[in-house]
Amino acid sequence: MKRAFFLGVLTFALFVDAARAERWPALKPEDIRALASGQGEQWRRNARDLAVLPGAGPQGREAVRQLVQSTAPSSVALRETLLKEARFALAQPVPAYRTPEEVAAVTKQTLFDTRQELWMRRVGDDLVLFSFAAAIAPDDVALRNRVHDLALAACRYPQWGVREPNQDLAAGHVARGLAVAWSWNRGLWNDADAKLIRDTVRERVNTLAAVMSGGIYWAGAYQENHNHVSAAAVGFCGAAFIEDLPEDAVRWLATAQLNFEAVARYANADGSSPEGVPYWSYSASYILQYIEGVRGIIDVAPFYAGDWLRNMAAYRLRASTPGFGGTLPWGDASARDYYGPHHMLNRLAAEYRDPSAQYLAAKLAFVPQYGADVIAWNWHWHDPAVPAKPPESLDAHLPVADAVDSRSGWGAGDYLLAIKSGYTNRNHSHLDAGAIAFAFGGEWLLPAPGYGKGSGDKEFWDAKGGRWKYFSNATESHTTLLVNGRNQRFDHEARGTVARFASAPRSMWTEVDLHEAYEGVDAAWRRVFHRRGDYVLLLDDVILKEAGRVEWLLQVPPAAIVNGSEARIEGTAGSLAVRVIDPATALAVRMPLSPKVDVPATRLKTYAIPREGKASGFRTLLVPRFGGDLAPAPTVRRGADERYHIEGEGWSDELVFANEGSVLSVAADAVSANARLLVTRVKAKQVVDVLAVDAVSVSLPFGSLMFDSGKPTSVSATRINDELWVLDSDRAGKWLKKPDTAWRVSRGSDADELPAGRVLLMRGRATEGDYQRWHEEQTAVREQPGLPVRTTSVDLPVAPKESRVLVEAEAFATQVSGRVDVVDKPGNRGRSLRGFGNDSPFHAIAWKVSVPVAGTYRLRLRYCTPLDGTRVSLLVDGAAPGRNALEVVLPRTGGWSVDRDDWSEIVLAGADGTVVRVPLTAGEHEIRLLRPSGAINLDGFELIGGED
C-alpha cells in the first residue's frame, strides 16, 4: 500500500466515503441504559475473575506467562520481532502535539485532511506495542518509561482529531492504546498520572460513545471501518476502566456490545467486506481486537459462532494472489493489505483450529503491514499447535461478495482467474459486474484499475453521479461488457449474480447473470469454463430490448502484443494468450470516453470488439502458459447447439451446454447426462474427466448416478488410474453400478448411496492413500522462475573512491506491473517516488545510468519505510550481479516520510550480510529494482567506488 497516500489523500476518501455507507438504525440510548443496568454488576465480577487481557485478571496473566515462556520456534521468532520493533521505536521521540496547520505545512496536505489528526494513530498503536513489550520484558525500565511518557503525552493533546473532536479514527486508536496501557501497567502511574488518564478518558470516550447513537456519519454504518475502530475503542475502555470509572465503563461496554451485535447481524456471512480487501483488513483487525479485549467480561462465544467470523480467514485466503504477495484488485484498492493481516489469521486459526488460516499466516510473502500494534497482536494471538495446510479446493465462490476465484495452485509460479459479480454500488465499488482479472503470481496480466488518482476530488465520492464520471470507476476500464457505450447501472439494487458455480479437481464452471447490471437489456450472461492448466473459455451473450451496440472489453498492460483478434501478455512467472473466436474481428484500441481519466496510461490499455443488433455473442479462449512451457495453444472447433471441441497435445475436450431454462439429454465421448452442461476429457482414447452441471442423471464408464429430478446438482468424476476415481457432487444421489464391476464407495451408508461431497470409487488394491498421494502431486507448490544471475566473472578492479554516480529516483526510465507517484516529501533531495511495490510484488523500476569509469561499484540506496525486513531484487543489465543481489534486505527507517524526515541510506547487501558488488564497464547501463515484498519510497541511489 502507498502509506503516504493512506495517511494523506486516502484518509480523505475514508472520511467522505463513510457518508454514503450502508446504514441501519443507530443505537438507542434507552437500549444502552437497559443493558448496562441489567449486566453491569456481572461484568464487574467477571472483570475481577475471568478477564483474559494481561493485568486485567488471573487468566490473562497466566496466558501471557505461558506465551513468554513458550519455546516453540514460531512463537520465539514472533516474540523477538516484537521486542526488536519496540526497541527500534524507543529511538523515536514521543510525538509532540502539532496543529493541523503545522502538519499541513510539512506534509503538503490540505487542512481538510490534517484536521483528522491521523498522525495520532501511531501514538495509539505504539502504546499497544510498548505495553506488550513491557509485559514480555518487565525489567526493561526504558520500555515502561515509554509507556508512561506516551500515555501522558496523549492525554495532554488538546483533542484526538479536531475535525470531529474525539469522535473518529484518531480517537479510536488513542483510546484503545490508553486502555491497554492502563490495564497492563497498573503500578506505573502515580496519583496525578492516574487522575489525568481517568479524567481524559472519561471526557473523550464519553463523547465517542455518545455519537454512536446517531451523532456522527458512521453511526449505524455497521459494515464500515470507522464504526469498527471507534466502537472497539469504546469497548476496550469499558473493559480497562470498569473498576476505576464503573458507571461510565459499564455504559461503554453496553454501547460497544450493542454496536458489535449489529455488526454481526449485518456482516457478510462469507467473511467478506463490501469495502474490499484493504479496508477489510482494517475493519477485521478492530473487530477481533474488540472481541478479545472484552473476552471473559462479556460472553464472546456468540460472535465466534457466526458464519462471518468463521469464514473470515477463507475470504482473505481466496483473495490472495498465487505466492501470497498481493490481493484481488476489485474496487478502490491497492492490491495489498492495509493492516496485518498475519495477526488476524493467527487469531482465527487458533479459535477455529483452522489449518488453512495458519497456512496463509505462515506463507504471506511480506511483513505485517502498517501499525506497530499488529506486531504485538501477532505474537499474542499465534498458537503454534495449529497445523498449517492449504485448502482442498483450488476454486471458490464467495456467495455474498458474489465473486469467484479459480487457480492453478497456490505457488508464486501459479495463476489466478478472478471473476467479479455482486452489487455495483457499495463502498469503494466499481461498475464492474462480470469483470475478469488474471494474475500469474502477483503480476496482473489482465488488470483492473484499482484506486484512481481522482480519489483526491470530492466528486470522486459522489456515488449518486459524480463518482462514475471517473475512468477508474467506470465500466469501460474493466474486462467486461459495455452496452450502448454507457456505464452499468448504479442504483442501489444494480448487480450481477453468480447463478451457477461448479468446481472439480481439474476444472471449474460458473455462470454470471448480468441483466440487472445494465439498462435496456433483456438478458446478459457471462459463462466461464476453466480447464486447470490448459485454457479458459468465455461465453458471453447479450439480448437488448432494442437494437444497439455491445462491446467486448479487454484490459491489458501497455506492453501486451495485440495482433488481429489475438493478444499476448508476457509476465515474469508465465504468459497469457487471448484469442477471440467469434466474432472474427480484430481487437481495436479503445480510448477512454469518461470525462475524467484518472488511470495513467502506464497501468492498462483498453481494447474492444463491438457488435451491433439486438442479440450479441462473443466467444473467447484464454490460454495460460507457465514459464518455459512451449506447448502449442489448443485448437477450438465450434459446432451446432453450443458444442465445442477443444484439442491440445494428447487430449481433447467436448463441451456442450443448453440455453438458459433448458435441460437437455446430451452425450459426449461415451458419457451421457440429463444436464444443462456436460464436459468430458479424453486421453489415450479413455474418458478421464467429466463435469455435469444441473444434472439429474449421469452415465459414466463404471455406472450411473441418479439425482432428485426436482433438485438437479453439479457432479464431477475424475479418473486417477484404472482402479480409482474421485467423485464430487453437491447433493446426495444413487449410484447404479454395472453388474460386472467390483467398484466400492469410500464412504456412505450402503453401496447404492452416493453421499454429497467428495467420495472415492475404488476397486482392486486401490486405497485412500493412493488418492492422497495424487492430491499432493496436484497441489504441489509451483515456484516462480528464478531471476537470471550473471555467472561469468567480470574482472574489474574496485572503482576509484572519487568515482561516484548519483541518480535521482524520479529520473527513472521505465516501470512495469505497478505505478509510483513523483512527490515532495519532508527531507527528500529534489523529488521522490512514493509507492514502489504498492500495486504488485512484481513491480519493477529501471534507471539508465552513465558510468564514466570502469570498475566494481557498490550501490547506496536512499529510501524510507516503517516495515522491517522488506526484500527487493537488483538487476544490472538484465541479470543479478551476484546471488546476494536476488534478495536484498532493507531495514526499516521509521516511516514513509509523511510528516517528518524518515529517509535513510544503506549500501545494498544480501540476506547473508555480504555487500552486493556491481562490476560496470564505462558507458550506459540499466539498473533495475524489482520484486519488492512491501511498499517503499525511493529518493535515489549512488554508485560508489572505493573500499568498504
Side-chain angles (χ1 to χ4, degrees):
M1 182 186 115
K2 294 177 186 172
R3 298 302 167 186
F5 190 46
F6 184 69
L7 292 171
V9 174
L10 181 54
T11 56
F12 167 82
L14 281 165
F15 170 75
V16 180
D17 190 55
R20 63 180 180 87
E22 191 77 52
R23 275 192 180 78
W24 293 272
L27 304 182
K28 296 180 179 179
E30 59 268 26
D31 292 340
I32 295 171
R33 288 193 296 269
L35 181 59
S37 175
Q39 295 294 318
E41 284 306 312
Q42 183 62 54
W43 288 343
R44 292 187 67 185
R45 288 193 295 271
N46 291 347
R48 287 189 288 269
D49 301 326
L50 303 173
V52 172
L53 281 178
Q59 290 193 23
R61 289 190 290 273
E62 176 59 21
V64 167
R65 187 190 67 79
Q66 292 182 13
L67 277 171
V68 171
Q69 294 179 355
S70 173
T71 58
S74 54
S75 293
V76 171
L78 292 176
R79 184 170 68 236
E80 293 305 312
T81 298
L82 191 162
L83 290 173
K84 180 182 178 183
E85 184 81 17
R87 286 172 179 141
F88 176 85
L90 279 174
Q92 311 300 321
V94 173
Y97 180 76
R98 294 161 296 163
T99 67
E101 290 78 9
E102 290 171 329
V103 174
V106 174
T107 65
K108 315 301 182 187
Q109 294 175 283
T110 67
L111 275 176
F112 185 82
D113 291 331
T114 60
R115 282 168 59 83
Q116 295 181 83
E117 301 194 319
L118 292 183
W119 61 269
M120 293 185 186
R121 293 194 295 189
R122 180 186 293 179
V123 175
D125 295 345
D126 282 354
L127 277 170
V128 176
L129 172 70
F130 287 122
S131 294
F132 273 92
I136 294 172
D139 295 331
D140 192 322
V141 175
L143 291 173
R144 289 175 58 79
N145 286 345
R146 178 53 62 92
V147 173
H148 176 273
D149 296 346
L150 196 59
L152 298 188
C155 289
R156 293 183 178 118
Y157 297 157
Q159 70 282 316
W160 302 328
V162 68
R163 192 165 66 199
E164 290 81 30
N166 309 315
Q167 297 174 34
D168 204 359
L169 297 178
H173 280 252
V174 177
R176 184 263 338 231
L178 280 171
V180 173
W182 180 263
S183 293
W184 293 26
N185 300 276
R186 291 287 184 176
L188 194 58
W189 324 106
N190 62 33
D191 291 345
D193 297 338
K195 184 177 186 306
L196 174 62
I197 293 172
R198 286 194 304 268
D199 290 349
T200 305
V201 168
R202 177 190 287 116
E203 173 200 352
R204 298 181 186 182
V205 177
N206 271 331
T207 299
L208 187 60
V211 299
M212 293 172 65
S213 295
I216 197 167
Y217 56 86
W218 50 258
Y222 298 117
Q223 290 185 336
E224 222 268 30
N225 58 77
H226 291 250
N227 176 284
H228 304 151
V229 173
S230 301
V234 171
F236 257 97
C237 287
F241 292 92
I242 196 165
E243 286 298 325
D244 306 279
L245 302 170
E247 183 178 342
D248 297 293
V250 167
R251 187 174 65 256
W252 299 340
L253 280 171
T255 302
Q257 177 70 2
L258 289 173
N259 186 87
F260 279 106
E261 286 177 357
V263 169
R265 187 160 56 249
Y266 299 117
N268 289 354
D270 61 6
S272 66
S273 166
E275 296 188 317
V277 177
Y279 293 106
W280 166 90
S281 68
Y282 195 15
S283 283
S285 178
Y286 275 83
I287 290 169
L288 291 172
Q289 285 180 54
Y290 162 75
I291 292 171
E292 292 304 303
V294 301
R295 181 189 279 271
I297 300 174
I298 291 173
D299 181 13
V300 300
F303 289 118
Y304 283 120
D307 288 340
W308 64 300
L309 285 180
R310 190 176 298 277
N311 292 323
M312 191 176 273
Y315 166 68
R316 179 56 186 81
L317 178 70
R318 292 299 173 179
S320 300
T321 55
F324 307 108
T327 67
L328 292 177
W330 303 127
D332 294 333
S334 303
R336 289 192 179 274
D337 299 86
Y338 288 169
Y339 271 74
H342 310 62
H343 63 304
M344 297 174 282
L345 295 165
N346 278 325
R347 174 80 282 278
L348 296 165
E351 182 67 29
Y352 298 113
R353 319 314 290 172
D354 181 354
S356 62
Q358 193 86 333
Y359 175 81
L360 178 57
K363 289 289 186 179
L364 288 169
F366 51 88
V367 296
Q369 300 292 289
Y370 192 64
D373 61 321
V374 304
I375 304 292
W377 297 120
N378 199 30
W379 166 74
H380 190 48
W381 289 345
H382 173 62
D383 183 350
V386 179
K389 185 180 178 182
E392 183 90 350
S393 177
L394 295 173
D395 308 315
H397 170 218
L398 296 168
V400 182
D402 217 16
V404 170
D405 71 276
S406 187
R407 62 188 76 222
S408 64
W410 298 103
D414 282 297
Y415 66 76
L416 164 68
L417 171 71
I419 304 163
K420 174 73 167 58
S421 189
Y423 292 101
T424 57
N425 190 356
R426 292 295 186 271
N427 277 7
H428 300 287
S429 64
H430 290 180
L431 303 181
D432 58 358
I436 63 169
F438 186 95
F440 248 116
E443 187 175 19
W444 291 99
L445 304 188
L446 296 184
Y451 241 135
K453 295 186 73 172
S455 56
D457 301 343
K458 186 175 183 179
E459 191 178 24
F460 187 88
W461 304 106
D462 173 18
K464 294 182 179 179
R467 175 171 174 76
W468 315 117
K469 297 177 183 178
Y470 291 81
F471 179 69
S472 64
N473 305 328
T475 305
E476 66 172 341
S477 63
H478 299 82
T479 299
T480 187
L481 302 170
L482 191 68
V483 176
N484 290 324
R486 297 196 300 265
N487 271 325
Q488 292 176 354
R489 290 166 44 192
F490 55 83
D491 55 281
H492 201 64
E493 299 307 313
R495 63 168 302 161
T497 301
V498 174
R500 290 176 183 83
F501 168 77
S503 174
R506 293 176 177 148
S507 61
M508 185 280 303
W509 170 267
T510 192
E511 300 183 46
V512 186
D513 182 353
L514 296 171
H515 84 278
E516 293 181 302
Y518 296 98
E519 295 284 357
V521 165
D522 279 334
W525 288 91
R526 166 155 279 181
R527 299 176 174 92
V528 183
F529 178 69
H530 174 210
R531 178 64 78 178
R532 216 174 310 282
D534 291 329
Y535 64 87
V536 177
L537 182 64
L538 299 182
L539 311 174
D540 298 314
D541 294 281
V542 179
I543 300 175
L544 303 178
K545 293 182 182 299
E546 298 179 359
R549 178 184 176 92
V550 178
E551 293 175 83
W552 189 89
L553 302 178
L554 177 68
Q555 314 296 334
V556 296
I561 299 171
V562 178
N563 185 14
S565 61
E566 298 190 12
R568 185 174 180 84
I569 308 104
E570 296 288 345
T572 304
S575 65
L576 180 69
V578 180
R579 184 163 85 246
V580 181
I581 302 166
D582 183 20
T585 307
L587 288 157
V589 173
R590 188 181 189 281
M591 301 307 294
L593 300 179
S594 298
K596 299 187 178 182
V597 179
D598 62 334
V599 176
T602 55
R603 174 163 291 200
L604 58 80
K605 191 173 185 178
T606 305
Y607 288 84
I609 290 180
R611 297 201 93 160
E612 306 282 347
K614 286 194 69 173
S616 297
F618 303 88
R619 303 293 182 260
T620 311
L621 192 72
L622 312 182
V623 182
R625 283 289 178 255
F626 301 102
D629 184 352
L630 301 178
T635 60
V636 181
R637 186 171 70 251
R638 182 181 181 183
D641 301 325
E642 292 294 349
R643 182 182 290 269
Y644 296 85
H645 179 84
I646 306 171
E647 190 167 346
E649 283 193 320
W651 57 264
S652 64
D653 287 353
E654 291 287 336
L655 182 151
V656 57
F657 77 92
N659 292 325
E660 181 63 24
S662 302
V663 176
L664 300 179
S665 295
V666 293
D669 294 313
V671 173
S672 63
N674 190 352
R676 280 201 68 248
L677 168 76
L678 179 64
V679 187
T680 60
R681 166 157 289 194
V682 171
K683 296 180 72 173
K685 299 182 179 180
Q686 282 189 309
V687 175
V688 298
D689 204 78
V690 177
L691 174 65
V693 176
D694 280 3
V696 174
S697 64
V698 183
S699 178
L700 298 165
F702 46 76
S704 298
L705 306 174
M706 308 293 293
F707 301 95
D708 185 339
S709 60
K711 298 178 179 179
T713 188
S714 296
V715 59
S716 71
T718 304
R719 179 184 180 275
I720 309 305
N721 54 46
D722 288 341
E723 297 183 337
L724 179 62
W725 283 73
V726 179
L727 294 182
D728 288 275
S729 61
D730 292 344
R731 300 182 187 276
K734 293 293 184 180
W735 173 37
L736 306 178
K737 66 178 180 178
K738 293 181 178 179
D740 58 344
T741 60
W743 293 94
R744 62 188 185 276
V745 182
S746 62
R747 64 184 180 90
S749 59
D750 59 63
D752 294 328
E753 181 174 324
L754 179 73
R758 175 159 293 182
V759 299
L760 307 180
L761 282 181
M762 300 178 288
R763 68 180 179 183
R765 293 178 295 177
T767 67
E768 293 193 27
D770 296 323
Y771 163 73
Q772 290 298 333
R773 285 187 289 273
W774 171 83
H775 179 69
E776 289 171 4
E777 291 173 1
Q778 299 300 305
T779 57
V781 171
R782 183 181 280 109
E783 300 294 346
Q784 67 186 22
L787 294 170
V789 180
R790 187 165 289 109
T791 55
T792 56
S793 61
V794 180
D795 188 16
L796 290 175
V798 174
K801 185 176 182 180
E802 62 273 12
S803 181
R804 311 170 78 86
V805 180
L806 176 65
V807 179
E808 294 293 341
E810 62 270 26
F812 66 91
T814 60
Q815 66 173 325
V816 295
S817 299
R819 183 191 81 191
V820 290
D821 293 320
V822 178
V823 297
D824 288 317
K825 288 278 186 184
N828 61 204
R829 301 180 308 208
R831 305 193 79 193
S832 54
L833 300 184
R834 178 178 65 195
F836 174 47
N838 178 63
D839 287 340
S840 166
F842 282 88
H843 196 178
I845 304 180
W847 295 264
K848 297 295 184 182
V849 178
S850 181
V851 177
V853 179
T856 297
Y857 290 80
R858 292 166 290 148
L859 192 151
R860 183 160 58 202
L861 183 70
R862 182 174 169 83
Y863 71 100
C864 63
T865 176
L867 306 175
D868 195 31
T870 300
R871 261 65 170 173
V872 69
S873 298
L874 168 71
L875 298 185
V876 178
D877 297 328
R883 300 206 67 83
N884 61 350
L886 296 176
E887 193 175 39
V888 174
V889 182
L890 301 181
R892 74 167 74 79
T893 66
W896 274 284
S897 292
V898 176
D899 52 6
R900 65 184 186 190
D901 184 348
D902 290 315
W903 298 105
S904 183
E905 296 185 1
I906 185 174
V907 173
L908 297 190
D912 60 359
T914 59
V915 172
V916 174
R917 306 288 178 176
V918 184
L920 296 169
T921 58
E924 187 173 83
H925 297 271
E926 182 193 78
I927 304 293
R928 183 178 293 259
L929 293 177
L930 67 162
R931 295 191 179 179
S933 67
I936 313 163
N937 291 341
L938 300 172
D939 195 25
F941 63 87
E942 279 185 290
L943 296 171
I944 55 177
E947 300 293 342
D948 296 357

